[in-house]
Amino acid sequence: LHSFPTRRSSDLDLKRITMPKIKIFRKKDWLIRYSVFEIILDGQRIGYLSNGESDEFEIPAGQHKLKVKMGRYRSRDLPCTLYNKETKSFTVSRNQIMVMIIIILLLLSTFLEIFLRHTFKIERRVFEIMTVLVVLFHAFGGKIHFLTIKEN
């Protein structure tokens, strides 16, 4: 007769049973479909999410700060408190308001160039400056929280 070791519950197994979990879902988005989101918990990367993907992470009980990053773009820190055996769900996506602001600035710049240039014979340099401002606004978009994370 062969004796096989039996599985005994250890402290590690007990901790895994009682550990809280977070489930994170990333909305599908055609504009940034090829970008990968980094999931950051308390300043440490815990995983990645592709377009339309979801994942579940076991984390220690307590207070945490959850954030999402995509290159230089990021979300605000979302504070969350989890207790043993608790599961919380979150949805991450791009901040629609920021995208609308960028589009409106580009359209406004184009409109002003077409309308004012022909009407008032304003020099082209004014519009070049406006275009640079729009580009700078987008370049620093990472500090303006281009991504959002919300608790479900």
Side-chain angles (χ1 to χ4, degrees), residues 86-147:
E86 184 178 18
T87 300
K88 287 192 177 183
S89 297
F90 300 91
T91 302
V92 297
S93 62
R94 134 180 89 89
N95 188 342
Q96 301 295 338
I97 294 170
M98 290 309 302
V99 173
M100 292 305 296
I101 289 171
I102 292 167
I103 290 170
I104 288 169
L105 284 173
L106 286 170
L107 290 174
L108 181 64
S109 175
T110 305
F111 170 76
L112 288 174
E113 179 174 358
I114 292 169
F115 178 73
L116 294 177
R117 189 164 173 225
H118 294 295
T119 306
F120 299 107
K121 307 290 186 212
I122 293 177
E123 194 175 321
R124 184 170 180 84
R125 204 169 295 286
V126 171
F127 304 106
E128 290 171 354
I129 291 169
M130 288 179 66
T131 304
V132 167
L133 290 175
V134 169
V135 169
L136 286 174
F137 177 82
H138 187 271
F140 292 104
K143 297 186 186 220
I144 307 173
H145 307 292
F146 188 70
L147 305 174

Side-chain angles (χ1 to χ4, degrees), residues 26-66:
R26 177 180 166 185
K27 289 183 178 179
K28 284 190 174 186
D29 189 337
W30 65 271
L31 187 64
I32 53 173
R33 64 184 168 269
Y34 299 117
S35 301
V36 177
F37 285 10
E38 285 181 71
I39 309 301
I40 311 291
L41 183 74
D42 299 328
Q44 300 292 318
R45 182 179 55 239
I46 61 171
Y48 296 96
L49 285 178
S50 295
N51 199 26
E53 214 176 42
S54 64
D55 207 347
E56 189 173 284
F57 305 94
E58 287 184 339
I59 62 171
Q63 294 182 344
H64 300 282
K65 288 185 181 179
L66 189 60

